[in-house]
Amino acid sequence: MLRTTKSRFAGGCWEVRPGGMLVQKRNSDANLNSIPVPKIRVRVRHGSSSHEVTVSSQASFGELKRIVAERTGVKEQDQKVSFREKERDSNEFLDVCEVRDGSKVVMVEDALRRLESTDKAAKAIAAVRFEVDNLAKQVASAEMEIVGKGRKVVETDLLNLIELLMTQLINLDGIDAQGDVKLQRRMQVKRVQNYIETLDVLKIRNSRQPAAAIGPVRRQQQEQGGR
């Protein structure tokens, strides 16, 4: 088996496999490429369900996990895939491990890793919520000046607030969340979008205000920036 494995990695080329590991690339000889790589059907057992997937016979277990993730919704990094009662690494290859057409593998969800991922997402959303709470106070202050007191504020203050809120939208978009945490993220996205819409309206109204003393919006930003 060791001799066979070495022959498959002839040459000095390298490639990044699923999971980020750098490994030797398979032999890219033109004569070998002229022969199509056969597909195999693999039956994946997941709890009480069974999924038949079609994959290249020379694919890695990481590539198999990607296909299984599309079928089951279980993320690749949360999967533990076993073949012949042994957990397989994402960088191992199916044919090297003697996975053939009709072979069966077992996939279980790594509950601990999933919980860690959920906890990380929840903390990230809480951090965004804290920042948005602070920005919300500035939005309320600007609204009080423009609408409540009829004063004109510096336009760049409003533009800066919009930019800061947009940054939080980007932060939320980068949080990978599921279940209840995903709902929390959606609520914060909607909240930020509402503040941005409010500021867009305030910008128009502010442009129509007569020149007057600058309101406390900038002072509040300066105070927070100095902390």
Side-chain angles (χ1 to χ4, degrees), residues 23-36:
V23 298
Q24 272 193 307
K25 193 172 184 179
R26 294 196 170 201
N27 200 322
S28 57
D29 185 85
N31 293 329
L32 292 178
N33 283 339
S34 64
I35 303 174

Side-chain angles (χ1 to χ4, degrees), residues 74-115:
V74 180
K75 298 176 184 177
E76 300 169 49
Q77 62 268 28
D78 294 339
Q79 295 180 29
K80 286 185 177 180
V81 175
S82 300
F83 176 62
R84 292 180 177 174
E85 300 182 353
K86 179 181 178 182
E87 184 180 350
R88 302 295 173 170
D89 188 86
S90 293
N91 299 291
E92 294 183 81
F93 291 96
L94 301 181
D95 57 344
V96 174
C97 295
E98 299 184 349
V99 178
R100 302 185 177 91
D101 187 56
S103 291
K104 298 179 181 179
V105 302
V106 178
M107 186 276 284
V108 296
E109 187 174 3
D110 189 338
L112 179 59
R113 184 175 295 177
R114 178 175 55 81
L115 288 174

Side-chain angles (χ1 to χ4, degrees), residues 19-220:
M21 181 173 289
L22 187 67
V23 298
Q24 272 193 307
K25 193 172 184 179
R26 294 196 170 201
N27 200 322
S28 57
D29 185 85
N31 293 329
L32 292 178
N33 283 339
S34 64
I35 303 174
V37 178
K39 299 279 189 178
I40 58 174
R41 291 172 298 174
V42 179
R43 189 170 296 278
V44 181
R45 187 76 175 178
H46 175 219
S48 59
S49 303
S50 183
H51 306 272
E52 186 176 87
V53 301
T54 301
V55 65
S56 167
S57 61
Q58 294 185 1
S60 67
F61 276 91
E63 292 169 295
L64 177 63
K65 287 181 179 182
R66 177 179 55 78
I67 298 173
V68 172
E70 296 174 354
R71 294 288 190 89
T72 64
V74 180
K75 298 176 184 177
E76 300 169 49
Q77 62 268 28
D78 294 339
Q79 295 180 29
K80 286 185 177 180
V81 175
S82 300
F83 176 62
R84 292 180 177 174
E85 300 182 353
K86 179 181 178 182
E87 184 180 350
R88 302 295 173 170
D89 188 86
S90 293
N91 299 291
E92 294 183 81
F93 291 96
L94 301 181
D95 57 344
V96 174
C97 295
E98 299 184 349
V99 178
R100 302 185 177 91
D101 187 56
S103 291
K104 298 179 181 179
V105 302
V106 178
M107 186 276 284
V108 296
E109 187 174 3
D110 189 338
L112 179 59
R113 184 175 295 177
R114 178 175 55 81
L115 288 174
E116 290 175 348
S117 177
T118 299
D119 184 59
K120 181 179 178 180
K123 289 180 179 178
I125 292 173
V128 170
R129 183 168 56 244
F130 176 80
E131 294 297 329
V132 174
D133 286 344
N134 289 332
L135 294 173
K137 296 175 183 177
Q138 298 182 44
V139 174
S141 179
E143 188 171 22
M144 175 61 69
E145 289 296 305
I146 298 170
V147 179
K149 299 180 180 179
R151 295 178 181 174
K152 189 179 185 70
V153 302
V154 177
E155 184 178 3
T156 53
D157 291 345
L158 301 179
L159 295 175
N160 287 339
L161 278 174
I162 292 175
E163 183 177 349
L164 290 171
L165 287 165
M166 289 296 295
T167 298
Q168 296 309 317
L169 273 183
I170 295 174
N171 291 340
L172 287 168
D173 186 62
I175 299 174
D176 191 6
Q178 299 295 325
D180 292 339
V181 180
K182 187 174 183 178
L183 178 60
Q184 294 176 28
R185 183 185 66 182
R186 188 180 300 120
M187 291 173 61
Q188 290 304 312
V189 167
K190 183 62 177 176
R191 182 186 178 204
V192 173
Q193 289 173 338
N194 287 339
Y195 286 136
I196 292 175
E197 291 173 2
T198 297
L199 287 167
D200 284 336
V201 173
L202 290 176
K203 268 177 33 181
I204 297 173
R205 186 153 181 174
N206 186 62
S207 66
R208 298 171 181 170
Q209 296 282 32
I214 297 176
V217 180
R218 170 164 289 185
R219 290 198 300 272
Q220 186 174 357

